[in-house]
Amino acid sequence: MDLSNRTVLIVGGTSGIGRELAGRFTAAGSTVAVGGRSPEALSELAGEGFGTFGVDVTDSASVASFRDAVLARYPELDTVVTMSGVMLLEDLRDPAHFEAAETTIDTNLLGTIRAIDAFTPHLIRRGAGTFVTVTSGIAFLPFPPMPSYAASKAAVHAYSEALRAQLDGTGVGVVELVPPAVATAGQEKVNPHALPLDDFATEVMDLLSENPTPHEILVKGVLMHRWAERDGTYDDLVARRSQALAMLPGREG
Ligand SMILES: NC(=O)c1ccc[n+]([C@@H]2O[C@H](COP(=O)([O-])OP(=O)(O)OC[C@H]3O[C@@H](n4cnc5c(N)ncnc54)[C@H](OP(=O)(O)O)[C@@H]3O)[C@@H](O)[C@H]2O)c1
């Protein structure tokens, strides 16, 4: 993918990975707009020259007006990154976890579907474009303290595969970004060994610029998760990652 002349929308670009990639796409020469809920972050980003749009991906009406505003300002939009996501810990022994499960599925899975549905007709009409969906190494190798998160990301992986097949022949491609643990504010509490954001973004931009763009953007640090089942390391790695259950409040491990 030529990253020097695209018009990119990052849904969930107000912090973390999305915000970093917004800067990287701009540095590569593309025009970038970002969406998210935080008014403070949106106003900072507007000050940095990004197109900014408020959106809550859990709210269909909000996504519809967001789409209208984005396409009015960027009729040439050709790349939509569905980055919005929450990463919540859940203790499945406590039924009170359900609220976190609902938020997770509504944001990570249904939010992704809402954002994709909003822009699919536009990209098909253009006859060219790319959706970049965002899953996680955890889609392929569960991290037991975040069960609904793992389920949401495995679902977005499956959805991305089906979307790619359904859009075949329209000129619209689907690329799945599969981050390992990356040191953003959302991750610091969970994983002190997370990959530095800067290094991650550099590897991502290199992989995205390959021609043809790979269907999955797999930085080196995520290969052990992505291929654990194939490599026969899955059971051992899940057992090791289960030790992290000790981080749940009230658990000894
Ligand atoms: N960091 C990691 O280790 C890691 C690993 C694998 C996958 N990922 C995935 O990468 C993505 C970004 O993660 P991150 O670490 O950069 O987290 P982050 O800094 O918390 O960013 C999350 C983004 O999602 C947006 N968002 C959350 N709820 C939203 C909603 N209801 N409507 C619209 N936007 C919403 C946030 O914007 P507002 O708060 O402004 O709405 C923010 O821009 C997520 O999908 C995450 O699951 C992260």
Side-chain angles (χ1 to χ4, degrees):
M1 180 190 305
D2 179 358
L3 304 175
S4 69
N5 61 358
R6 301 188 76 92
T7 303
V8 182
L9 172 66
I10 304 187
V11 188
T14 47
S15 66
I17 295 173
R19 189 162 177 161
E20 178 66 23
L21 292 185
R24 297 298 184 112
F25 274 110
T26 304
S30 289
T31 300
V32 180
V34 299
R37 294 165 305 175
S38 162
E40 297 80 20
L42 288 171
S43 113
E44 269 175 41
L45 285 158
E48 293 168 22
F50 293 98
T52 57
F53 300 87
V55 65
D56 180 344
V57 297
T58 67
D59 177 347
S60 297
S62 167
V63 172
S65 45
F66 166 68
R67 171 205 56 214
D68 293 347
V70 168
L71 292 179
R73 179 154 167 201
Y74 297 99
E76 68 288 10
L77 180 74
D78 57 27
T79 306
V80 177
V81 183
T82 56
M83 185 67 71
S84 295
V86 292
M87 290 175 265
L88 301 176
L89 299 174
E90 291 166 79
D91 186 342
L92 301 186
R93 297 182 193 180
D94 176 1
H97 86 91
F98 188 74
E99 199 181 321
E102 275 188 318
T103 303
T104 302
I105 298 300
D106 201 14
T107 308
N108 298 9
L109 175 57
L110 293 175
T112 296
I113 294 172
R114 288 187 191 97
I116 289 169
D117 281 351
F119 292 99
T120 295
H122 165 77
L123 292 183
I124 290 178
R125 247 187 331 268
R126 285 190 85 247
T130 307
F131 280 115
V132 180
T133 60
V134 180
T135 63
S136 167
I138 291 173
F140 303 95
L141 184 69
F143 181 62
M146 302 201 300
S148 299
Y149 179 79
S152 74
K153 293 298 185 176
V156 173
H157 165 68
Y159 198 86
S160 303
E161 300 264 285
L163 180 68
R164 184 180 301 117
Q166 291 213 18
L167 295 181
D168 188 34
T170 65
V172 183
V174 178
V175 174
E176 177 185 343
L177 172 60
V178 190
V182 177
T184 61
Q187 260 293 323
E188 273 156 12
K189 284 176 277 173
V190 181
N191 188 346
H193 308 295
L195 201 61
L197 180 56
D198 197 45
D199 296 351
F200 171 70
T202 300
E203 233 181 310
V204 167
M205 296 308 278
D206 283 349
L207 291 166
L208 280 174
S209 66
E210 283 180 8
N211 228 336
T213 313
H215 284 173
E216 294 179 11
I217 300 299
L218 300 170
V219 301
K220 286 193 283 301
V222 85
L223 294 175
M224 66 175 270
H225 308 79
R226 176 65 181 93
W227 302 119
E229 202 158 5
R230 182 192 72 186
D231 295 346
T233 53
Y234 186 91
D235 288 347
D236 182 45
L237 286 172
V238 173
R240 275 204 258 158
R241 289 155 74 84
S242 297
Q243 289 166 16
L245 286 166
M247 73 170 57
L248 293 175
R251 289 278 189 109
E252 299 300 308

